[in-house]
Every structure is written in structure tokens, then in C-alpha cells.
Amino acid sequence: MDETSKGTEYYAPIEFVAETGDEGRTLRDVLRKRIGISRRLMVRLKTSEEGLSVNGQKVWPNHKVVAGDVISLRMEAESSETILPQPMELDIVFEDEHLLVLNKPAGLIVHPTTGHYLNTLANGVMHYWQEKGERVRFRPVHRLDEHTSGLVVVAKHSLAQQQLSAQMSEGTVVKEYRTYVYGRPPAAEGRIDAPIGRQAEDPHRRVVREDGAPSLTFYRVAETYGEQACAIDVRLGTGRTHQIRVHMTHIGCPIIGDSYYLEERWNESEAAQRVSGIIGRQALHACRLGFRHPVTGEEMRLDAALPEDMRLLERELGKWAND
């Protein structure tokens, strides 16, 4: 990140080299073809002093490109002024000038909400960037429930956010979870294709309902612990609120520790008694993410190991299986 003589700060330039097939096309068309740039971002780049340049010279979106031209995009630096920086231990899995991937602990909200301005992941990230001298806006590409642990991607600028959000919409981002549930599903692996909507009596609670949004979850049983519990690896086909929690309950396998979606019949079960006090939240962890890097195009595969509470749960369930 640097600063011009006029005092405007910019992120580091993102550069592309025009190919033979780009010859004679406008810069706007080339960028749409190359990276699918949005109209909104194009307007921001066009109106910025150093937003668009070819071979070091400022140009407009209708500039005709020649093969071999070096196209440069420079976005003005932004900061989340309303998010208060707060010192916090962060588990950073990956970071470069375009994105940050963190392993979020359970019990931490991703972004401040009304009446909850501190003790969120965003507060910790803003402090981290401030200490590094970086002026960056907090742009989470997706979120996890407060009591779900695991991988969260934060874009550092609008182009990275646009590119990653597009991959999310296209369904090309691989999101895998490990969870521990009561009971056993009807098959060792399968798909749950069941629409999810709000519950009429409690709008914060989601349920499977015919008029809900299309929701798809793939699962595979990784380990069984008698008939009372099992470990399941889950891959999301869609990303609805509480999707895994709702779908697991829907097939009769509510997530251990998830008091919000736990069926009453499991409260006094042998399984519930066995794991009581071991884990104080839903046993759900976002363990793996796969996506194309938003700028370089490199295939990214990132992993986050199980947190301590889920490892303890796994060990206890394992003892039970061996009894």
C-alpha cells in the first residue's frame, strides 16, 4: 500500500498482461472477460486518479487494448472506521495482500451487530491490521454462526470480495465441515435436499418447509459410536443460515451440544449423559475450504484442525465405542 502526492492511499496495483485475443477490444471488455469485473467497481476505478492505467498511463474504460499491454488496477484504500480495534489472539491460516483466512474459535461473532460492538472477529482483525500499519476494510466473504468454529475468509479489497462472492454464488467454493451428532443417519453417505425457511413461531429458528429456500447438504459418516452417535463429514451445496444444524435434525441426527435444535427425545438419552459437560456448544467445525485465489487464480486448499473441545468429545465417544 502506498500514498500519492495528493495524499490518497492506494492498495498495491493488480496487473494483467493483454493477450492476443484481447487485441482491439476495449479495456472494459477485456476486464469483464478476464475477471468478470462488476459495473460498480469499474465506475470506482474510472473515477479514481490512479484506478486504471495501461503501460503506466492513465486511461478510460473505452481505451483499445493491444496484445502485450500491461493493464494495472489500483483501488483506493478503505478502512472500517466504525469497527473499534481490539487486541485479540488470532489464528491466521493464510494471508497475502488480497485476502485473510482465519480459524475462528467458537463463541466469537464474525461482525459487530446492534448492541454488540466489541469482542467480535472484526474487532480483532482491525487491531491486527492497525498494528501492521495497513489501512484495510473488513470484508467477510461468508460467516459462521457464533458457536461454530473454523475457517472464515476476509477479502482485503473490493475486487477480491467480488471475485470470491461470485465463486460462492456459482457454487465452486468447497466448504467442508466435521460434526458429531446423536444417532445414525439412514445411509452411510448421501444428500439432504430439503428447503429451509424461518419458523413462524420463532423467526430466528430455521426449519425444513415446502416454501423454504432450496438447500442442499452432502454428508458422509466418518465414524460410528454404537447406535447412539457418529462423526459426520459434511459438504455444503448451498449456504443457508443454520443449514447443517437444520438438516442434521431433519434426518434425525441433531448435532451434539446444539441446544437450539436438539430434539427433546435426546435430552435424557444415554448419549447425552455420556457427553454432558464435555462441549458447551454445537459440535460443528468448518475444517476445509477450497477456492480459486481471487487475483492469481491459484487453486487454494486450506485446512483447520479440530479445536480442543471437539477433540475431547471425539476421545470420549471413542472410549464409548470401545466399551
Side-chain angles (χ1 to χ4, degrees):
M1 205 175 300
D2 60 17
E3 192 170 344
T4 68
S5 57
K6 293 185 178 182
T8 302
E9 292 183 33
Y10 288 86
Y11 296 119
I14 298 172
E15 294 185 339
F16 305 92
V17 177
E19 301 169 347
T20 304
D22 299 325
E23 183 86 36
R25 300 171 66 108
T26 66
L27 178 59
R28 178 187 289 106
D29 288 343
V30 171
L31 290 176
R32 282 178 179 168
K33 181 188 77 169
R34 183 70 66 87
I35 60 174
I37 194 167
S38 68
R39 180 176 301 177
R40 182 178 178 182
L41 181 54
M42 179 63 77
V43 170
R44 290 179 59 187
L45 290 169
K46 179 179 72 174
T47 56
S48 175
E49 182 64 29
E50 297 191 16
L52 293 173
S53 66
V54 173
N55 301 325
Q57 300 297 313
K58 178 178 172 60
V59 296
W60 295 99
N62 60 359
H63 174 84
K64 294 295 180 67
V65 171
V66 176
D69 279 348
V70 177
I71 301 167
S72 179
L73 311 182
R74 303 201 71 192
M75 288 162 286
E76 293 184 9
E78 302 174 277
S79 181
S80 299
E81 303 292 348
T82 59
I83 299 178
L84 300 174
Q86 181 182 11
M88 186 179 298
E89 184 176 343
L90 299 175
D91 184 357
I92 296 173
V93 178
F94 175 85
E95 183 181 20
D96 64 8
E97 63 268 40
H98 308 295
L99 57 112
L100 173 69
V101 183
L102 306 107
N103 181 14
K104 183 188 83 69
L108 194 65
I109 295 173
V110 171
H111 199 282
T113 58
T114 302
H116 198 133
Y117 301 109
L118 289 173
N119 302 310
T120 75
L121 186 66
N123 299 116
V125 170
M126 291 308 298
H127 180 269
Y128 167 70
W129 281 334
Q130 185 181 74
E131 290 295 294
K132 291 179 64 181
E134 292 189 33
R135 181 183 171 190
V136 185
R137 182 178 171 186
F138 186 77
R139 300 172 181 270
V141 179
H142 64 117
R143 303 188 187 192
L144 294 178
D145 294 342
E146 177 181 359
H147 297 295
T148 298
S149 55
L151 296 168
V152 174
V153 182
V154 180
K156 286 191 170 185
H157 52 71
S158 52
L159 177 60
Q161 184 181 41
Q162 177 205 316
Q163 295 293 295
L164 289 169
S165 295
Q167 291 181 49
M168 289 280 187
S169 298
E170 294 162 2
T172 58
V173 174
V174 176
K175 293 184 283 186
E176 297 181 3
Y177 295 71
R178 165 58 67 91
T179 187
Y180 295 84
V181 305
Y182 291 116
R184 293 174 69 167
E189 60 182 297
R191 53 184 278 161
I192 308 167
D193 190 352
I196 293 175
R198 294 180 185 271
Q199 186 182 60
E201 300 81 6
D202 180 357
H204 296 293
R205 186 183 178 92
R206 269 59 175 183
V207 293
V208 169
R209 49 187 299 171
E210 290 184 1
D211 61 348
S215 307
L216 180 62
T217 301
F218 301 92
Y219 74 87
R220 182 183 65 84
V221 175
E223 189 68 54
T224 58
Y225 308 104
E227 296 294 324
Q228 295 287 305
C230 61
I232 295 182
D233 291 327
V234 175
R235 178 170 58 85
L236 288 179
T238 55
R240 310 301 176 198
T241 300
H242 299 177
Q243 179 173 317
I244 297 173
R245 300 164 67 188
V246 172
H247 272 174
M248 288 296 102
T249 297
H250 178 66
I251 64 171
C253 297
I255 296 175
I256 293 173
D258 189 357
S259 58
Y260 200 46
Y261 288 102
L262 182 64
E263 294 177 330
E264 185 66 28
R265 68 189 180 94
W266 287 105
N267 283 335
E268 302 302 324
S269 68
E270 182 184 358
Q273 298 303 312
R274 186 70 181 242
V275 301
S276 176
I278 293 178
I279 189 165
R281 51 97 176 193
Q282 64 255 17
L284 181 61
H285 178 68
C287 58
R288 183 168 295 113
L289 274 175
F291 56 90
R292 295 189 314 279
H293 190 283
V295 175
T296 68
E298 177 187 357
E299 291 293 333
M300 307 287 291
R301 290 292 182 271
L302 301 171
D303 297 277
L306 286 178
E308 180 62 20
D309 60 350
M310 287 183 66
R311 289 201 300 270
L312 288 172
L313 176 64
E314 183 179 58
R315 285 199 290 270
E316 182 61 33
L317 292 172
K319 293 176 189 176
W320 189 14
N322 295 324
D323 285 350

